[in-house]
């Protein structure tokens, strides 16, 4: 087998940095190069996006009509749970780590990530973690079916496969923590001379803050699932009332992780959009330092709002008021961001290439998701919205036309830098318009379903919900299919496109990555670049 | 740049960041004692209920409050369990008695343990029990039915905003005791 031969060939070289890279599988297994690892993360997350997406298609197909048609309720529950776990931990988070790997060193003038070997390890844990997680679907007791929140006592009623879920979550956590340590070490230690903190591109800033959130909350999730594991298999009673525990405590611990987690998925999106809008508006980002402080404020607030997920569980009035107002407070720094993006576009010389289209759609549709979030924050009315499709509509608006659109915007934006070729602008635009329209057909009706009282995570529904569910499912099928266009555009760009990309790629692009040739060479910034006021985006800011 | 000289090496920075992660893993487990303290302070989970065995009522109030009684059995304990009186109105500070009824319809002895809760949570801080079947493990022989009383009073300083209190019990099987019971029955 080629793996064994390459293993024996591989000597523990101290400085294999500039040697010829191995070929084939070995190149990807042993690579410590930030661009290779970035590619691995991005390809992996795209694969997971399609696996998680197929599960969503099963869910929407079952919900196409009232009654049970296609799948058993138990399997439906496994689909909703697995869809969420795969999309959160397998698609969105690794995709952002992929962007971080590719772009951070190039944006701050570093030769590579600070801890390249750990970088390799943090990626290669993931395929094993998700193989374990997905394998539970083929076990006798089936996959996890209690929702991605894994609330006890329901999650403890699962069978033996639950141990696989817990260990998969542990491995994902270890991977994210190692990735985050790498990001922080890179940003704090490897910036080129002159790249002061307040000159860093916003994507770098948002990732720095995201990385701190990750190393603080992923261990809390690991602790929570460990307690579930010992409650399930070793007779402890952390969450078992009979033994003096409290299932509500799990919800507190889970959401202490869970709320920062949703910002982990959206903060890098804020960063990417803050790179793209100035480029295509041909104006510097409006309110750069306000953006940095707003990001930090959102990250801080994310730690003190967790119980807004638990208003229906019951809490003292003062508690409900505190969590309600603290949650509403998050709208202030988020509003600052939205206003700054709009102000950046104001009177700009705008053009509407695919990355810009996705970025503008992000601003509009993420704001809709943010406003429905404000509605959910109101403790008194949350009692009606809780666990309905209104919640489903809310978080899908912030995650799909939010995080996922920002990922696509970023992919189109930097694809020419990665591959050296231009993608097909026509097909990119077709992908955008089909996605942007179908995503609204998919999720907007769910607001009404939720307000009318349709509960989430149930495979059947009352007939009065039939029409909106059918519309939503049709939107879902179109949205799912339109992502195949995305794959087509990428494959075409990598292998077929003959249109060479220039170094700057986009007329208005500023920043160190655009001073490098396209495609970016395997090793970049071996000697630190000289920071030139005209090439970096935020040179005008305070030193 | 002096700032650059003071930079930590990559390895020691990574070690410190990893230490934060380890500490946060510990924090997850520290939530358990912290949550208990929080519940004791706020009365969440019925944690505020005081036990004063043998005490008498304190008197000294003519305010009345309505108490509702709720009974549940965990699905793994095949008992019938209900409150004899679903609700009563009591005078603050005065001793009252509430009666529950538990029955074991199976033909083998079973042990159970009752866990209680009080709603609204802050009301539990003013709830005093002098005697309760929940203090100890209860064994019901085959086909046995028994009345289970609770003696309690509500402290007169109960906040005026609380007009109604629900006391809820859930019976769970005592697995260890049940194992011993089946073993001794087998002998």
């Amino acid at each position: 087998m080629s793996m064994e031969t390459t293993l024996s060939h591989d000597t523990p070289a101290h400085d294999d940095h500039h040697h010829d890279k191995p070929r084939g599988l070995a190149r990807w297994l042993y690579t410590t190069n930030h661009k290779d690892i970035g590619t691995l993360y991005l390809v992996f997350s795209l694969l997971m996006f399609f696996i998680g997406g197929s599960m969503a298609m099963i869910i929407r197909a079952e919900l196409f009509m009232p009654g049970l048609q296609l799948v058993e309720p138990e399997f439906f529950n496994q689909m909703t749970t697995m869809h969420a776990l795969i999309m959160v931990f397998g698609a969105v988070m690794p995709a952002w780590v992929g962007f971080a790997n590719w772009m951070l060193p190039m944006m701050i003038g570093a030769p590579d990530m600070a801890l390249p070997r750990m970088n390799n390890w943090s990626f290669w844990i993931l395929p094993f973690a998700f193989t374990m997680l997905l394998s539970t679907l083929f076990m006798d007791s089936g996959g996890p079916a209690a929702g991605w929140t894994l609330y006890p006592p329901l999650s403890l009623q699962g069978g033996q496969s639950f141990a696989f879920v817990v260990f998969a979550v542990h491995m994902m956590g270890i991977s994210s923590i190692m990735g985050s340590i790498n990001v922080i070490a890179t940003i704090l230690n490897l910036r080129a001379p002159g790249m002061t903190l307040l000159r860093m591109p916003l994507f770098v800033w948002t990732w720095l803050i995201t990385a701190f959130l990750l190393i603080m909350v992923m261990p809390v999730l690991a602790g929570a699932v460990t307690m579930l594991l010992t409650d399930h298999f070793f007779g402890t009673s952390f969450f078992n009332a009979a033994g003096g525990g409290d299932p509500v405590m799990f919800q507190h611990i889970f959401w202490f992780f869970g709320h920062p987690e949703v910002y982990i998925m959206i903060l890098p999106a804020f960063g990417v959009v803050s790179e793209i809008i100035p480029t295509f508006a041909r104006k510097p980002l409006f309110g750069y330092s306000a953006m940095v402080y707003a990001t930090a404020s959102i990250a801080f607030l994310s730690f003190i709002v967790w119980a807004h997920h638990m208003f229906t569980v019951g809490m003292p009035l003062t508690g409900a008021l505190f969590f309600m107002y603290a949650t509403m407070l998050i709208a202030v720094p988020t509003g600052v961001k939205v206003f700054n993006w709009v102000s950046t576009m104001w009177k700009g010389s705008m053009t509407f290439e695919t990355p810009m289209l996705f970025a503008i759609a992000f601003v509009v549709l993420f704001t809709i998701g943010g406003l429905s979030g404000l509605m959910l924050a109101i403790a008194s009315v949350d009692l009606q919205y809780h666990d309905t499709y209104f919640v489903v509509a809310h978080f899908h608006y912030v995650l799909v036309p939010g995080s996922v659109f920002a990922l696509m915007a970023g992919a189109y934006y930097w694809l020419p830098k990665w591959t050296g070729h231009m993608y097909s602008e026509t097909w990119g635009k077709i992908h955008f318009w089909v996605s942007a329209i179908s995503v609204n057909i998919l999720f907007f009706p769910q607001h009404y379903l939720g307000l009318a009282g349709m509960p989430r995570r149930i495979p059947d529904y009352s007939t009065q919900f039939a029409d909106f569910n059918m519309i939503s499912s049709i939107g879902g099928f179109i949205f799912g299919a339109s992502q195949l266009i995305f794959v087509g555009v990428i494959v075409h760009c990598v292998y077929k496109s003959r249109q060479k990309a220039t170094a700057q790629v986009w007329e208005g692009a500023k920043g160190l990555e655009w001073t490098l040739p396209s495609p970016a060479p395997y090793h970049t910034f071996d000697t630190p670049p000289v920071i030139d006021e005209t090439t970096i985006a935020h040179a005008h800011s305070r030193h | 740049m002096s700032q650059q000289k003071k930079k930590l090496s990559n390895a020691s920075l990574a070690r410190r960041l990893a230490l934060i992660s380890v500490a946060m893993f510990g924090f997850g487990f520290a939530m358990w004692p912290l949550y208990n303290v929080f519940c004791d302070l706020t009365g969440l989970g019925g944690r505020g209920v005081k036990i004063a065995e043998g005490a008498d009522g304190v008197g000294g109030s003519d305010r009345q409050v309505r108490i509702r009684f709720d009974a549940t059995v965990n699905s793994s304990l095949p008992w019938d369990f209900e409150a004899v009186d679903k609700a009563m109105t009591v005078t603050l500070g005065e001793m009252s008695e509430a009666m529950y009824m538990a029955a074991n319809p199976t033909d083998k002895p079973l042990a159970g343990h009752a866990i209680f809760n009080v709603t609204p949570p802050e009301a539990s801080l003013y709830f005093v029990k002098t005697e309760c079947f929940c203090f100890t493990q209860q064994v019901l022989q085959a086909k046995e039915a028994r009345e289970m009383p609770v003696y309690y009073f509500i402290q007169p300083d109960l906040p005026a905003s609380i007009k109604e209190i629900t006391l809820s019990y859930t019976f769970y099987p005592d697995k260890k005791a049940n194992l011993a019971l089946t073993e001794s029955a087998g002998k």
Side-chain angles (χ1 to χ4, degrees):
Chain A
M1 244 295 299
S2 69
M3 252 182 78
E4 280 166 29
T5 50
T6 44
L7 260 175
S8 59
H9 276 262
D10 188 56
T11 50
H14 292 288
D15 186 16
D16 52 1
H17 197 67
H18 287 275
H19 295 186
D20 282 340
K21 53 195 180 201
R23 285 158 204 281
L25 187 64
R27 168 185 170 183
W28 299 105
L29 271 179
Y30 303 138
T31 185
T32 53
N33 179 285
H34 73 101
K35 299 185 182 78
D36 280 353
I37 294 173
T39 306
L40 285 171
Y41 266 110
L42 290 172
V43 172
F44 177 80
S45 59
L46 190 62
L47 177 70
M48 287 296 140
F49 181 61
F50 277 92
I51 293 176
S54 318
M55 293 170 177
M57 293 301 105
I58 294 172
I59 293 167
R60 279 321 319 172
E62 177 57 54
L63 294 174
F64 190 73
M65 284 192 295
L68 295 176
Q69 281 94 31
L70 301 171
V71 295
E72 295 296 315
E74 293 78 14
F75 187 71
F76 183 90
N77 291 347
Q78 293 174 29
M79 285 296 101
T80 55
T81 307
M82 287 292 249
H83 163 72
L85 288 171
I86 300 269
M87 286 305 200
V88 170
F89 295 105
V92 176
M93 286 169 66
W96 286 128
V97 183
F99 273 92
N101 264 291
W102 252 104
M103 300 318 300
L104 293 187
M106 281 157 60
M107 288 176 130
I108 59 173
D112 203 307
M113 296 295 276
L115 305 151
R117 282 167 197 241
M118 195 168 84
N119 205 9
N120 173 294
W121 197 23
S122 53
F123 171 76
W124 278 109
I125 285 176
L126 283 181
F128 295 95
F130 282 92
T131 308
M132 267 173 63
L133 181 63
L134 286 166
S135 70
T136 60
L137 286 174
F138 303 100
M139 294 178 188
D140 284 344
S141 52
W148 84 289
T149 52
L150 301 171
Y151 278 6
L154 187 58
S155 63
L156 296 178
Q157 288 163 13
Q160 305 298 312
S161 68
F162 186 67
F164 284 77
V165 178
V166 169
F167 288 127
V169 171
H170 281 155
M171 285 162 77
M172 295 164 201
I174 291 169
S175 164
S176 303
I177 290 165
M178 290 199 299
S180 304
I181 288 175
N182 220 336
V183 164
I184 297 172
T186 306
I187 296 174
L188 294 188
N189 276 357
L190 295 189
R191 276 173 288 126
M195 178 58 78
T196 54
L197 284 174
L198 279 178
R199 278 178 167 187
M200 294 197 307
L202 224 82
F203 181 64
V204 181
W205 257 115
T206 54
W207 238 114
L208 180 64
I209 291 165
T210 303
F212 273 105
L213 288 182
L214 273 165
I215 61 167
M216 290 187 73
V217 301
M218 288 307 284
V220 176
L221 174 69
V225 296
T226 306
M227 287 184 242
L228 284 178
L229 185 80
T230 59
D231 270 14
H232 193 309
F233 294 101
F234 302 109
T236 57
S237 295
F238 287 107
F239 310 125
N240 180 2
D246 190 343
V248 175
M249 185 176 74
F250 177 84
Q251 302 185 17
H252 283 287
I253 303 177
F254 181 86
W255 287 114
F256 185 84
F257 146 80
H259 202 78
E261 168 68 20
V262 300
Y263 293 111
I264 285 164
M265 291 189 279
I266 201 67
L267 291 185
F270 291 166
V272 164
V273 168
S274 304
E275 301 298 325
I276 291 172
I277 290 178
T279 295
F280 296 97
R282 293 165 182 77
K283 274 176 63 191
L285 184 70
F286 184 87
Y288 168 82
S289 32
M291 288 297 228
V292 173
Y293 295 125
T295 311
S297 315
I298 293 171
F300 168 75
L301 288 171
S302 74
F303 281 103
I304 57 164
V305 297
W306 75 90
H308 66 209
H309 296 270
M310 303 165 54
F311 284 140
T312 55
V313 172
M315 66 177 81
L317 182 65
T318 40
L321 286 173
F322 170 78
F323 286 110
M324 176 171 98
Y325 289 128
T327 304
M328 291 178 161
L329 204 55
I330 297 181
V332 176
T334 314
V336 166
K337 286 186 163 290
V338 173
F339 281 115
N340 281 354
W341 289 322
V342 174
S343 308
T344 306
M345 288 187 264
W346 177 251
K347 292 190 173 175
S349 312
M350 294 216 287
T351 50
F352 300 95
E353 288 85 345
T354 312
M356 184 62 160
L357 290 174
F358 272 106
I360 294 172
F362 169 92
V363 175
V364 175
L365 300 176
F366 172 80
T367 305
I368 293 177
L371 291 174
S372 59
L374 266 178
M375 290 171 70
L376 287 164
I378 305 167
S380 50
V381 296
D382 178 69
L383 303 183
Q384 186 198 343
Y385 305 152
H386 187 87
D387 253 347
T388 67
Y389 262 81
F390 191 80
V391 178
V392 177
H394 155 69
F395 69 73
H396 279 97
Y397 258 88
V398 288
L399 277 175
V400 184
S403 295
V404 173
F405 270 26
L407 282 163
M408 295 186 168
Y412 282 110
Y413 186 55
W414 285 308
L415 205 51
K417 178 57 65 187
W418 299 338
T419 64
H421 300 285
M422 296 307 285
Y423 59 86
S424 161
E425 193 61 56
T426 316
W427 280 101
K429 282 190 171 132
I430 292 171
H431 171 223
F432 168 77
W433 284 110
V434 180
S435 294
I437 293 168
S438 61
V439 86
N440 285 292
I441 301 173
L442 165 57
F443 293 120
F444 209 84
Q446 296 182 1
H447 289 116
Y448 301 118
L449 287 170
L451 292 178
M454 178 173 164
R456 61 191 283 213
R457 294 171 170 157
I458 311 276
D460 190 5
Y461 49 83
S462 175
T463 46
Q464 81 247 26
F465 304 130
D467 292 350
F468 274 152
N469 266 297
M470 190 177 280
I471 294 169
S472 177
S473 286
I474 292 170
F477 300 143
I478 302 172
F479 182 76
S482 68
Q483 301 323 307
L484 296 170
I485 306 174
F486 182 52
V487 178
V489 174
I490 293 172
V491 171
H492 170 263
C493 178
V494 174
Y495 296 107
K496 288 269 157 55
S497 171
R498 282 198 218 101
Q499 198 193 340
K500 292 262 178 255
T502 61
Q504 202 194 3
V505 184
W506 311 108
E507 188 191 47
K510 273 194 163 193
L512 286 178
E513 76 265 36
W514 308 112
T515 63
L516 295 164
S518 301
Y522 198 58
H523 296 290
T524 44
F525 294 131
D526 280 346
T527 49
V530 178
I531 304 295
D532 179 347
E533 304 279 317
T534 58
T535 52
I536 69 169
H538 310 295
H540 58 280
S541 77
R542 283 175 294 129
H543 296 243
Chain B
M1 267 199 270
S2 62
Q3 192 200 345
Q4 226 130 32
K5 255 186 279 168
K6 277 192 215 149
K7 264 184 195 166
L8 293 164
S9 74
N10 288 342
S12 59
L13 182 60
R15 266 196 297 277
R16 279 167 202 226
L17 293 169
L19 206 65
I20 297 180
S21 282
V22 174
M24 289 306 289
F25 184 72
F27 175 75
F29 284 88
M31 291 280 255
W32 191 63
L34 287 175
Y35 186 74
N36 280 337
V37 171
F38 179 75
C39 289
D40 288 342
L41 291 177
T42 57
L44 269 176
R47 234 48 97 83
V49 173
K50 287 177 211 51
I51 293 167
E53 280 179 86
D56 217 343
V58 289
S61 172
D62 47 6
R63 230 181 93 207
Q64 291 198 316
V65 66
R66 194 168 164 76
I67 317 279
R68 296 161 70 90
F69 301 96
D70 172 58
T72 320
V73 190
N74 183 260
S75 57
S76 46
L77 182 68
W79 280 8
D80 300 319
F81 176 52
E82 59 180 25
V84 177
D85 303 307
K86 304 296 178 210
M88 58 173 74
T89 304
V90 303
T91 307
L92 297 190
E94 233 167 60
M95 283 297 295
S96 305
E97 180 191 347
M99 193 58 77
Y100 279 82
M101 190 73 180
N104 177 4
T106 68
D107 33 6
K108 56 179 185 184
L110 284 171
H113 197 127
I115 304 287
F116 63 88
N117 205 338
V118 174
T119 309
E122 52 271 42
S124 78
L125 299 168
Y126 305 91
F127 211 110
V128 184
K129 289 185 188 172
T130 59
E131 203 186 314
C132 177
F133 59 90
C134 60
F135 291 173
T136 54
Q137 177 209 86
Q138 301 289 327
V139 179
L140 287 183
Q141 299 303 323
K143 307 289 182 196
E144 187 192 353
R146 197 194 314 148
E147 286 190 326
M148 295 188 174
V150 188
Y151 296 95
Y152 70 96
F153 65 90
I154 311 290
Q155 288 177 353
D157 52 344
L158 181 81
S161 61
I162 300 175
K163 307 267 191 284
E164 188 178 81
I165 301 172
T166 304
L167 176 64
S168 168
Y169 286 97
T170 304
F171 252 112
Y172 288 92
D174 193 324
K175 283 181 185 145
K176 260 190 201 154
N178 282 334
L179 216 61
L181 282 172
T182 30
E183 267 173 21
S184 63
K187 268 174 203 166

